[in-house]
Amino acid sequence: MFIDDCVVASNTKIAENTFLIGLEVPFSTEKLLPGQFFNIKVSNNSFPLLRRPFSISDVIENRIYFMYKVVGEGTSIISKKVKGETLNLLGPLGNSFNIDDSFSTAIIIGGGIGIAPFPFLIKKLVNKNIQVLFGMRSKSEAHNYGLVNINYSSDDGSIGLHGNVIDLLDVELKNSDETKTKIFACGPNAMFRALQKYLTNKNVLCEASMESAMACGFGICQGCPIEFKNNPSYNLICKDGPVFNIKDIVI
Amino acid sequence: MNEIDLSVNIGSLKLKNPVMLASGTVGYGNEISEFTDLSKIGAIVTKSISLKPRKGNPPQRITETPSGMLNAIGLANVGVEEFITHKIPFLKKINSTLICNIAASSIEEYIECVEILETQETIKGFEINVSCPNVKEGGLIFGNDINAVGRITEKVRAKTNKPIIIKLSPNNSNISDYAEVVKKEGGDAVSAINTLVGTAFDIYSRKPKIKNITGGLSGPAIKPVALAKVLEISRKVDIPIIGIGGIFDWKDAVEFMIVGASAFQIGTVNFVNPRASLEIIEGLKKYCEETSITKISDLIASRII
């Protein structure tokens, strides 16, 4: 497992409060999988104390890119990092999206910064029809980094459909063969709950990349439990996930 | 210069160095072994084991605080049976000294756990958790009842000749009174301290940040409190102390030993830097070299006040 300082190669704003940071890594990036994440220490001291988990957004040669939204102290510090400074990376962690199922159309659903893991996934989806459904509060969050065939939705109607990603999905699925379609989703829990409910009686595969507060990211702190239907004990988002079949989990 | 002697004794338990991995911060060893060579570490203390498996608390279980974190995991664990069948074989392989931490909801449950685990050769000692702040039954109810701590020590002592360490709570006054009782009832050592009860609220939703409302505070934020508790025990009671609380590097560790700890446990740092244990061992060696100390045990309670 890799744990070391990595040099910032770039750190660019792609939308309001949303950035893409590229880090040079000294290991081969060939085996990295879409859906995996790194746990990142943003300071050399005890404030902030814990690492922050970020899924891999993109990989170009020996650079790993992370898309992030500035929401608190940790991401605020990252947003001020300039080329040549370092961040301490631990990973890669977690499982990944399964792209070996027999589907011909991939519907990608991103809610806000939940779009983060998908540029890398899209690179790995060869010979598939890809449709991206990108939901957000407002137009200021919109970007198209690493995305293709994007349909936007916004809560305030300032871009795309005035509504949410489930409304977009409903339209999309009506034009698709459910048995040849697979959904990949990432976003806030409210979006997942709506998606899970919407898919209840549908026969379409859906993998969800879940978010959680974490301390360690590799299973020792037990801080990120997720309940499975029909299972008395908790699974861990960091170690058993972060990608789960949406039908298996209690959100 | 001769090799520095890092070994320390905790009662009859001899450790190759004073670095221990704290209960609940390294699971059953397998995950952290990907980062660190566990055979080099003084001892590993397992996640608290209870008689039956415990599911633990629902999310959210943790939240970050200034230089610290709150957790309310709720003693999630696989239970004694699964521990013996599936966890001990790995722990046996790694060639580190294994201390088994036990949590229970009644005195009888502590006794039953010790009886079952006593025959496991891999287990070199027991740490009795009477101070978990995050479960309704057991835990702190015992930790704040000096008679219960005495009875638990006495009953467990009667069931095993292996070293017994009682993990004390900082959530009471006069921690040294508890250490005195542990000594009187035949305990070999005390660990001090478990986490401090704390809470954090979101100012917009006005709701607690963790589901359990309160959790245990750990990390650098609690180090001065832990040091003061170790000092109090060391001054008043002649019993080996295992210092715990916010140790992040070798300097923190040295401080605990000078104040009175025979060994120390690292916890929260394992989440941030899973290689901290080995870095601390190296740091201790360098410190000893620089200060012309040949035996690290000479540091214990060497404070000048």
Side-chain angles (χ1 to χ4, degrees):
Chain A
M1 190 79 70
F2 177 80
I3 168 170
D4 212 342
D5 289 342
C6 294
V7 177
V8 176
S10 63
N11 195 6
T12 46
K13 189 174 180 176
I14 56 171
E16 189 178 13
N17 281 333
T18 309
F19 295 78
L20 188 74
I21 189 165
L23 293 149
E24 306 271 356
V25 297
F27 55 86
S28 168
T29 55
E30 278 173 31
K31 287 187 178 163
L32 295 176
L33 300 169
Q36 287 186 307
F37 66 99
F38 281 80
N39 214 0
I40 300 180
K41 182 85 170 84
V42 305
S43 69
N44 295 326
N45 53 45
S46 65
F47 191 82
L49 182 72
L50 301 176
R51 291 172 179 273
R52 267 77 177 140
F54 295 95
S55 55
I56 302 166
S57 288
D58 199 4
V59 176
I60 301 171
E61 293 166 351
N62 68 329
R63 288 190 304 282
I64 302 177
Y65 290 84
F66 301 97
M67 193 183 289
Y68 62 96
K69 185 174 179 183
V70 177
V71 292
E73 287 139 357
T75 43
S76 173
I77 291 169
I78 299 177
S79 72
K80 294 181 180 81
K81 291 279 174 184
V82 296
K83 190 177 173 178
E85 291 188 89
T86 59
L87 287 172
N88 191 277
L89 262 59
L90 186 161
L93 300 166
N95 66 359
S96 60
F97 292 111
N98 180 5
I99 55 176
D100 299 326
D101 310 294
S102 56
F103 62 95
S104 56
T105 297
I107 299 179
I108 286 170
I109 301 179
I113 195 61
I115 203 76
F118 295 128
F120 188 36
L121 174 68
I122 287 169
K123 271 192 181 166
K124 297 283 181 183
L125 288 171
V126 283
N127 299 322
K128 308 280 188 194
N129 301 315
I130 299 170
Q131 187 63 53
V132 174
L133 312 179
F134 188 178
M136 59 198 67
R137 286 202 187 92
S138 181
K139 191 182 175 180
S140 61
E141 296 170 56
H143 63 82
N144 59 7
Y145 180 84
L147 306 174
V148 293
N149 301 330
I150 314 168
N151 279 345
Y152 295 97
S153 71
S154 54
D155 296 345
D156 65 1
S158 57
I159 185 170
L161 180 85
H162 190 174
N164 61 37
V165 283
I166 309 301
D167 303 325
L168 286 176
L169 178 64
D170 192 40
V171 176
E172 198 59 41
L173 276 184
K174 284 198 173 98
N175 305 320
S176 312
D177 178 350
E178 281 186 17
T179 60
K180 290 178 182 166
T181 300
K182 182 163 182 176
I183 299 169
F184 300 92
C186 185
N189 278 355
M191 182 194 95
F192 282 129
R193 275 191 285 272
L195 184 59
Q196 191 181 49
K197 193 177 165 199
Y198 175 79
L199 293 174
T200 306
N201 298 314
K202 293 196 158 40
N203 187 27
V204 53
L205 283 171
C206 176
E207 283 186 346
S209 177
M210 306 300 292
E211 193 182 36
S212 171
M214 291 177 190
C216 68
F218 53 94
I220 58 172
C221 80
Q222 305 268 315
C224 59
I226 184 164
E227 195 160 18
F228 265 45
K229 292 171 185 167
N230 313 317
N231 187 342
S233 60
Y234 284 111
N235 282 265
L236 295 176
I237 289 179
C238 70
K239 201 178 139 196
D240 304 307
V243 179
F244 299 97
N245 184 326
I246 202 166
K247 295 202 169 165
D248 291 341
I249 53 178
V250 179
I251 305 165
Chain B
M1 188 170 184
N2 290 332
E3 184 77 358
I4 290 152
D5 180 7
L6 290 181
S7 68
V8 294
N9 295 318
I10 300 169
S12 58
L13 185 70
K14 191 178 170 79
L15 304 182
K16 53 174 113 43
N17 59 61
V19 184
M20 303 170 72
L21 303 184
S23 178
T25 69
V26 288
Y28 307 105
N30 50 328
E31 291 94 352
I32 200 162
S33 68
E34 288 191 41
F35 296 95
T36 194
D37 182 353
L38 293 173
S39 70
K40 291 185 174 164
I41 293 163
I44 301 176
V45 189
T46 63
K47 174 83 183 148
S48 287
I49 300 293
S50 49
L51 197 55
K52 300 284 175 216
R54 293 184 73 122
K55 189 178 179 181
N57 293 332
Q60 184 159 349
R61 287 179 174 180
I62 57 169
T63 192
E64 191 176 45
T65 57
S67 296
M69 65 179 279
L70 288 165
N71 87 78
I73 308 299
L75 297 177
N77 83 91
V78 296
V80 165
E81 205 172 300
E82 168 85 6
F83 174 67
I84 291 172
T85 329
H86 290 111
K87 306 296 180 185
I88 285 204
F90 174 81
L91 289 161
K92 193 173 180 174
K93 264 194 293 183
I94 57 174
N95 192 29
S96 177
T97 301
L98 177 67
I99 309 292
C100 184
N101 182 296
I102 296 173
S105 324
S106 66
I107 294 179
E108 292 71 31
E109 193 186 340
Y110 282 112
I111 294 166
E112 205 171 331
C113 283
V114 170
E115 275 178 338
I116 295 168
L117 292 163
E118 155 67 25
T119 54
Q120 296 293 322
E121 272 179 42
T122 314
I123 298 172
K124 302 301 183 214
F126 294 105
E127 183 180 68
I128 306 298
N129 183 0
V130 292
S131 44
C132 176
N134 299 323
V135 290
K136 287 198 184 78
E137 295 174 339
L140 257 188
I141 293 177
F142 295 129
N144 284 343
D145 179 344
I146 199 160
N147 295 323
V149 169
R151 273 208 310 284
I152 291 165
T153 311
E154 179 199 353
K155 300 281 187 190
V156 170
R157 178 77 290 163
K159 295 292 176 191
T160 181
N161 291 320
K162 291 180 179 176
I164 299 168
I165 303 156
I166 307 291
K167 189 167 184 177
L168 298 178
S169 170
N171 298 297
N172 52 42
S173 50
N174 305 327
I175 196 170
S176 55
D177 293 347
Y178 288 77
E180 184 68 53
V181 163
V182 169
K183 182 181 160 73
K184 186 170 149 257
E185 299 299 343
D188 296 270
V190 292
S191 302
I193 55 175
N194 207 326
T195 55
L196 289 146
V197 175
T199 190
F201 274 67
D202 183 294
I203 60 167
Y204 294 103
S205 68
R206 305 187 188 192
K207 289 179 178 171
K209 287 187 179 175
I210 48 180
K211 188 86 172 178
N212 194 54
I213 305 173
T214 58
L217 179 65
S218 66
I222 73 165
K223 195 184 85 170
V225 178
L227 280 168
K229 298 289 184 187
V230 169
L231 180 63
E232 182 193 327
I233 299 168
S234 177
R235 280 174 143 176
K236 293 188 176 166
V237 189
D238 182 20
I239 189 169
I241 306 161
I242 301 168
I244 321 171
I247 296 174
F248 257 58
D249 59 26
W250 64 268
K251 287 177 266 187
D252 298 330
V254 168
E255 201 176 354
F256 268 88
M257 292 189 77
I258 290 171
V259 164
S262 295
F264 53 87
Q265 295 180 13
I266 58 170
T268 303
V269 70
N270 297 318
F271 304 153
V272 182
N273 176 12
R275 290 182 185 153
S277 47
L278 298 185
E279 291 170 14
I280 289 172
I281 293 169
E282 289 311 306
L284 291 179
K285 279 185 200 161
K286 275 198 190 122
Y287 173 79
C288 288
E289 277 169 19
E290 280 168 20
T291 54
S292 304
I293 290 166
T294 53
K295 282 162 58 191
I296 201 159
S297 55
D298 288 347
L299 272 184
I300 301 166
S302 62
R303 60 186 181 260
I304 299 167
I305 297 177

